[in-house]
Amino acid sequence: MTNPAILPSRNTDYGFFGTLTTCPERDRRTSDVWILASRLIAQAINATSEEEMIGIRDFLDSRSGRHFADEVVGALQCGAPDCEAAITAAIAKWQDWRITRATERTDGIPAGLPYLTGWVQHFAVTAAMEEQH
């Protein structure tokens, strides 16, 4: 099994990238934090395809990615020793949450999925649909 390529941000001013850029607690450059977050998310949701990597990129570039970054920053501010520990904590928190029926109705993500998995899949499907048009 090969690991699909990690895609660079297309939204460096906002989303995950922009939020981490303004975080003084980060222990490495934002581009390195981006790569680390993409890799750890891919591992957590068992992403093995280019489509799933697009979903991860688009998730991190979105408003949801900014909220995910807020969790990472919060973990750093509360004593996480480094970005890897903070990202791992945020992933665990988001995977413990579940997609609600309300989110299923508004965004089409199946209720009951782990929150992070659901949102990454949502962005992967959305990108694939846009590509077809």
Side-chain angles (χ1 to χ4, degrees):
M1 176 175 88
T2 61
N3 291 330
I6 291 175
L7 303 173
S9 174
R10 295 191 305 186
N11 186 15
T12 57
D13 292 335
Y14 300 101
F16 181 89
F17 199 100
T19 300
L20 262 292
T21 297
T22 62
C23 175
E25 291 85 7
R26 66 186 158 80
D27 63 336
R28 54 192 88 188
R29 295 178 331 177
T30 305
S31 57
D32 294 335
V33 177
W34 174 273
I35 291 167
L36 179 62
S38 297
R39 183 176 53 79
L40 292 172
I41 291 170
Q43 289 172 354
I45 68 165
N46 298 313
T48 58
S49 70
E50 182 181 348
E51 292 79 14
E52 289 167 312
M53 296 310 290
I54 290 169
I56 290 169
R57 182 211 44 219
D58 291 355
F59 162 75
L60 288 172
D61 276 346
S62 74
R63 181 173 7 125
S64 295
R66 182 184 61 76
H67 294 306
F68 182 79
D70 290 341
E71 291 287 342
V72 173
V73 170
L76 287 168
Q77 291 172 340
C78 290
D82 56 28
C83 285
E84 184 166 358
I87 293 165
T88 299
I91 288 170
K93 189 174 194 177
W94 279 53
Q95 287 294 79
D96 280 345
W97 295 337
R98 294 291 180 252
I99 298 293
T100 64
R101 293 223 181 274
T103 301
E104 181 177 39
R105 279 192 301 276
T106 59
D107 296 293
I109 306 168
L113 277 179
Y115 203 72
L116 181 59
T117 300
W119 279 107
V120 169
Q121 289 178 356
H122 169 77
F123 283 103
V125 167
T126 300
M129 290 172 59
E130 289 172 359
E131 196 174 280
Q132 291 177 359
H133 290 119

